[in-house]
Amino acid sequence: MFKFISKFRTNEEGATAIEYGLIAALVAIALIAALQTLGGSLSGMFGGVSDTLDANAPTVEEEAPAG
């Protein structure tokens, strides 16, 4: 019984898993913060691209063959 308790106390595999979990959580928080910061800029950029494509895209009447 004492051997099991001693072995359990020296086992650090669980601590390593918790450390990896904490690192993953910190990376996720940093990623969320960065995306929120850049979100407005990206939205404006894609909106501008969309507007440009809409303005330059041919309409259905323009694509119809003549005749």
Side-chain angles (χ1 to χ4, degrees), residues 38-53:
L38 296 174
S41 299
L42 289 175
S43 177
M45 182 182 70
F46 283 116
V49 169
S50 176
D51 292 341
T52 302
L53 290 174

Side-chain angles (χ1 to χ4, degrees), residues 2-26:
F2 291 113
K3 193 174 196 179
F4 172 75
I5 294 172
S6 175
K7 194 175 188 181
F8 183 74
R9 285 181 52 198
T10 59
N11 186 355
E12 295 183 4
E13 289 179 17
T16 302
I18 291 172
E19 290 169 356
Y20 283 130
L22 289 173
I23 291 170
L26 289 173

